[in-house]
Amino acid sequence: MELLAPDVTLWTDGGGKVRATMLRPVQGRTKVARHIANVARQRSLEEVEIRHRTVNGDPSAVLFADDAPFAVMVLDLDGDQVSNIYAVTNPEKLPKDEQPGG
């Protein structure tokens, strides 16, 4: 929780294809953490691989399941805290050629 700024905002983009996305941004440390935890519960941690990348110059995490990316989370940092999270889960916007472990 300390990594999230008190006024952190989570923006999601599922392109209408992913149920876990929100139509409006989620604001506040507790609400953002709760949303991420709820989405994480939908998948077993054993089947998810997280690869750290830089996306458009920002620190990011690419999440893989079944050898394919299912989400990209781009983080805006304000000092040592995350001020914004942009989660892209729309399959049409995710890289198709990246492999886990690569």
Side-chain angles (χ1 to χ4, degrees):
M1 290 286 284
E2 293 81 27
L3 292 177
L4 300 176
D7 59 347
V8 63
T9 302
L10 170 64
W11 307 82
T12 61
D13 177 4
K17 301 174 184 341
V18 178
R19 199 180 110 199
T21 60
M22 307 293 287
L23 295 176
R24 295 188 177 147
V26 178
Q27 294 183 305
R29 177 186 282 161
T30 301
K31 290 180 182 179
V32 168
R34 187 178 304 131
H35 179 77
I36 291 171
N38 287 337
V39 171
R41 281 190 205 110
Q42 295 175 7
R43 295 188 182 263
S44 167
L45 290 179
E46 290 92 32
E47 66 185 46
V48 175
E49 180 179 353
I50 301 171
R51 304 293 303 166
H52 299 279
R53 298 284 188 260
T54 299
V55 175
N56 295 331
D58 293 313
S60 306
V62 180
L63 287 69
F64 288 88
D66 300 323
D67 295 329
F70 72 89
V72 174
M73 297 178 74
V74 179
L75 310 175
D76 278 346
L77 302 177
D78 186 8
D80 292 338
Q81 292 187 310
V82 177
S83 57
N84 289 290
I85 303 171
Y86 304 93
V88 177
T89 55
N90 180 344
E92 294 174 3
K93 294 184 178 180
L94 295 174
K96 309 234 185 321
D97 57 350
E98 176 142 6
Q99 295 298 315

